[in-house]
Amino acid sequence: MSEFAVFFLHGLAYAGLLFLVSAGLTLVFGMMNVLNFAHAAMYMLGAYFSYTLLQETGQFWLSLMVCPLLLFAIGALIERLLLRRVHVYGHVHELLLTFGLAYIITEVVKWTWGNYPLAVNIGGFLGETVELFGITYPIYRIFIFVCAIFVGAVMALILYKTRLGIILRASVNDGEMVNALGINVPLVFTGVFAFGAALSGFAGVIAGPLLSTYPGMAAEILIDAFVVIVVGGFGSLGGAVVASLLIGELQSFGVLLFPKLSIALVYLLMAAVLIIKPSGLFGEKQ
Amino acid sequence: MTTQKYTSYLFIAGLFLLGAVMPMVLKQYHLNMLTEIILFALFAVSYNLLLGYAGLLSFGHAMFFGMGAFTVAVSLIHIPGLSIWGAITLAVVMTTLVGFVTGGLLLRHKGSYFALLTLAFNSLFYAVATKWHSVTGGDDGLSVTRPDLDFGFAAISMGDLTNFYYFTLVIVGAVIVFCWYFTQTAMGQTVLMMRENEERMKFLGYNTNISRLILFTFTGTLAGLAGAFYTLHFQFCSQSAISVDMTTTVLLMTFVGGTGRFWGPMLGALVYVILQNYLSNITDRWPLFMGLIFVFMVLFIPGGLTQIIQSLKNLFSGKRGTGKPLAAKEG
């Protein structure tokens, strides 16, 4: 029974991380129709920034604040200087651009920090364990899940309850009209992309202490995040929540129940969803 | 139109002639590279049929390439006495099947959705190739020996590089010419027009879904054939043949060469293989250069090398280029 609880909680923690990564991806995709292949590379960049900051200051909370801001700036620059220029050539060129960026970021990271895993120690009360349902469990994994709930709630509030959210959703539907109403739509899109990048940085800071920091971390989570978006439905925040939970638990219990098959389970889920509902669980019909 | 076709035939004959004299000119090392260029040219041509002609951006083309490569390796190891033709045929059959089944699932989506799904499927194949150690060799890969080319009355040793080069030149070259011929047929033209205006093609009574599935399966088979030659050429096959990096490689070849012309990707394969060979001797940071070339090309030369060639042509003939990526055209 306690084994079940441990794996369940492991699944929740991974689901939380997956949601944090895919939320930014799905936001940018849903709003700008740009599938950002560099998203996971930015996430890795966030993790490495956080590693360095922790080495220098030892302040986890500080890096949780600063790294997303750094990524926000990087994201804004990428959108402004690169992505916007290739928009006229269509989505193939946009995809290729972010793909090339992912390569560059990964190589720069290897160059700067080396091609080996770096362990991240956070210390403080987050590094301790807690008694839960009669088992000892690391607080940090619970913290990840709480973070995911927090980020999801804030995003939903902004998108559906504020004036900013109305502007965002309107810009997607009819950019010209919103522009004519005196709102700087290109700036809105820069903001959306930068916010997506900031989210990736936030996820990266969170991931560091859980998975350690290494150059392969981007490629590893990228595919899972893509599967989350496919299963949940493209551009759907609610879909990302449900799909993250499904895939997190599937990964966790897959290792416990079918150790040999575990790597294929996620893809089998994806294939099953595609056969039954090609647009994903919460996706609108294309 | 007829003169254009005539020029194309001359061009093809010239290329074969050039290929035929190469073993007398080149050293073994460079002949090795040329064999690699030819097989990657087929891979890139098949990719361009998807990207340039049908407008489908796939991040999973390596699953066919790798499938072909692994089928040859596994069958040569487990079926004693299998001929080189038998192994190639098996690879072609396997990739056709895989193309048909995955195509049925993947083609329900378009644009970025399609790109993302192909990536996920490629990852599934990669995961299987890595984990299924008893069959695929996992990280260690599989080593094979090229069987001789047996005609019944006479056998040609494939252990000799020059012989294998000629074999590759003839077979892969013929398949590439067939691809070119395909783009001239009604089916090839249908694909082009489908990309331009699918609604109209539907209205005219074409079943665009089936046309697309046929094209997808066809390009998968071609990539599988290229993969088969990849194993035969290197006499080795590892999971890198089926990795996302292999898709990136073909994507970059196609993109550098330019999707605007049928011959563009072949030029891209040539430039890529040569560049990679020399750059990897100089620096370990090859992927960084790859990324930089990618971003630079997307920003400044979205039409690839064919765009530059076209602009130069226009310059000399007094016309002005548009600076936009060219649409795929025949010839």
Side-chain angles (χ1 to χ4, degrees):
Chain A
M1 189 59 213
S2 71
E3 197 185 32
F4 179 85
V6 167
F7 274 87
F8 181 72
L9 289 174
H10 276 15
L12 281 189
Y14 189 61
L17 182 62
L18 262 186
F19 174 75
L20 286 174
V21 177
S22 40
L25 203 56
T26 209
L27 179 80
V28 170
F29 186 78
M31 295 279 160
M32 303 171 68
N33 209 12
V34 172
L35 188 59
N36 182 10
F37 269 94
H39 191 80
M42 291 171 171
Y43 147 92
M44 179 170 73
L45 210 53
Y48 274 97
F49 283 160
S50 161
Y51 171 81
T52 302
L53 216 71
L54 278 172
Q55 291 280 310
E56 299 295 324
T57 65
Q59 299 284 320
F60 180 74
W61 296 104
L62 181 74
S63 75
L64 201 55
M65 304 276 216
V66 173
C67 296
L69 286 176
L70 285 173
L71 263 298
F72 186 91
I74 292 174
L77 283 176
I78 289 176
E79 205 280 339
R80 205 59 215 229
L81 299 177
L82 304 174
L83 201 58
R84 186 172 296 181
R85 282 162 170 245
V86 301
H87 182 69
V88 284
Y89 300 128
H91 75 261
V92 169
H93 286 76
E94 285 174 335
L95 276 183
L96 290 174
L97 180 81
T98 58
F99 205 73
L101 283 175
Y103 261 92
I104 294 175
I105 294 174
T106 309
E107 278 306 304
V108 168
V109 162
K110 279 187 199 165
W111 212 338
T112 318
W113 282 279
N115 199 357
Y116 39 81
L118 302 168
V120 180
N121 274 319
I122 32 172
F125 85 94
L126 282 175
E128 286 167 24
T129 54
V130 69
E131 289 281 322
L132 211 65
F133 311 122
I135 47 169
T136 339
Y137 200 76
I139 292 179
Y140 191 70
R141 283 171 186 266
I142 299 163
F143 168 73
I144 293 175
F145 192 67
V146 174
C147 277
I149 294 174
F150 175 73
V151 166
V154 168
M155 277 176 75
L157 270 179
I158 292 177
L159 274 178
Y160 300 108
K161 296 285 174 203
T162 63
R163 195 180 136 73
L164 182 64
I166 293 172
I167 294 173
L168 282 176
R169 283 179 291 140
S171 303
V172 178
N173 282 330
D174 194 343
E176 260 175 57
M177 181 55 90
V178 176
N179 214 359
L181 290 171
I183 285 154
N184 189 343
V185 173
L187 189 69
V188 169
F189 283 144
T190 307
V192 168
F193 193 83
F195 184 69
L199 270 176
S200 78
F202 185 79
V205 177
I206 300 275
L210 180 72
L211 307 169
S212 87
T213 307
Y214 58 103
M217 66 191 295
E220 212 151 274
I221 203 132
L222 184 68
I223 305 296
D224 275 0
F226 279 171
V227 174
V228 165
I229 295 186
V230 171
V231 170
F234 300 95
S236 158
L237 198 61
V241 173
V242 175
S244 299
L245 283 171
L246 262 175
I247 287 160
E249 292 300 341
L250 200 64
Q251 287 269 25
S252 185
F253 281 102
V255 174
L256 177 70
L257 300 172
F258 320 96
K260 287 209 160 168
L261 263 177
S262 64
I263 193 157
L265 279 177
V266 172
Y267 301 111
L268 288 177
L269 173 74
M270 181 184 73
V273 169
L274 277 177
I275 292 167
I276 299 160
K277 197 161 181 286
S279 54
L281 294 175
F282 287 71
E284 289 161 24
K285 260 208 139 156
Q286 292 167 47
Chain B
M1 187 69 198
T2 358
T3 32
Q4 203 185 359
K5 261 199 173 163
Y6 189 65
T7 330
S8 299
Y9 288 133
L10 268 183
F11 182 56
I12 293 167
L15 274 184
F16 270 106
L17 212 64
L18 194 68
V21 296
M22 274 306 166
M24 295 151 212
V25 185
L26 295 178
K27 287 184 218 130
Q28 290 279 295
Y29 174 76
H30 291 110
L31 196 62
N32 228 332
M33 235 161 84
L34 190 58
T35 318
E36 197 180 332
I37 289 169
I38 295 173
L39 74 90
F40 273 114
L42 174 63
F43 191 26
V45 161
S46 83
Y47 193 77
N48 190 33
L49 285 179
L50 265 189
L51 179 63
Y53 282 76
L56 291 167
L57 175 65
S58 163
F59 280 108
H61 215 49
M63 64 186 170
F64 302 117
F65 187 81
M67 203 61 171
F70 269 111
T71 309
V72 165
V74 171
S75 62
L76 280 179
I77 287 171
H78 292 283
I79 308 174
L82 185 73
S83 73
I84 200 165
W85 295 114
I88 292 174
T89 311
L90 276 175
V92 165
V93 171
M94 269 305 274
T95 43
T96 309
L97 281 176
V98 172
F100 189 72
V101 173
T102 52
L105 274 176
L106 293 169
L107 289 170
R108 299 197 201 177
H109 294 277
K110 293 192 191 99
S112 309
Y113 307 77
F114 175 77
L116 195 152
L117 282 177
T118 50
L119 182 70
F121 265 80
N122 200 149
S123 305
L124 169 63
F125 279 86
Y126 179 74
V128 171
T130 313
K131 294 283 159 181
W132 203 3
H133 202 279
S134 55
V135 173
T136 63
D139 295 321
D140 306 328
L142 298 169
S143 287
V144 295
T145 327
R146 279 198 289 263
D148 287 346
L149 187 60
D150 200 343
F151 289 111
F153 52 90
I156 300 171
S157 163
M158 282 289 115
D160 182 47
L161 178 66
T162 313
N163 287 348
F164 181 69
Y165 164 76
Y166 276 119
F167 180 65
T168 312
L169 179 71
V170 171
I171 303 297
V172 176
V175 173
I176 292 177
V177 172
F178 175 72
C179 291
W180 171 75
Y181 175 75
F182 170 81
T183 61
Q184 312 278 315
T185 59
M187 173 72 199
Q189 297 291 318
T190 309
V191 173
L192 263 185
M193 286 183 275
M194 233 159 64
R195 190 197 59 185
E196 293 305 323
N197 193 339
E198 193 175 341
E199 283 307 306
R200 183 170 292 177
M201 293 302 280
K202 269 187 194 159
F203 189 71
L204 288 171
Y206 287 92
N207 189 330
T208 52
N209 289 333
I210 289 184
S211 301
R212 207 180 279 119
L213 182 59
I214 293 173
L215 180 85
F216 188 83
T217 312
F218 179 54
T219 61
T221 310
L222 295 171
L225 188 67
F229 273 88
Y230 175 83
T231 300
L232 291 171
H233 173 58
F234 289 102
Q235 311 204 49
F236 179 75
C237 169
S238 74
Q239 91 258 52
S240 73
I242 207 161
S243 68
V244 175
D245 286 342
M246 192 54 85
T247 302
T248 328
T249 303
V250 72
L251 181 59
L252 192 65
M253 282 174 182
T254 312
F255 198 68
V256 165
T259 54
R261 288 282 188 280
F262 180 82
W263 309 107
M266 293 172 64
L267 184 65
L270 178 88
V271 171
Y272 182 94
V273 173
I274 293 174
L275 253 186
Q276 195 204 25
N277 263 288
Y278 287 109
L279 273 179
S280 60
N281 285 340
I282 305 166
T283 166
D284 296 336
R285 301 283 164 208
W286 165 240
L288 178 64
F289 285 99
M290 195 154 100
L292 287 173
I293 295 172
F294 237 124
V295 169
F296 178 81
M297 296 271 308
V298 172
L299 281 176
F300 300 107
I301 324 170
L305 290 176
T306 41
Q307 186 194 344
I308 298 179
I309 293 171
Q310 191 62 34
S311 316
L312 286 176
K313 259 190 189 169
N314 289 347
L315 195 73
F316 285 115
S317 63
K319 280 184 257 171
R320 299 195 69 180
T322 53
K324 273 189 182 171
L326 298 159
K329 276 187 194 139
E330 69 270 30

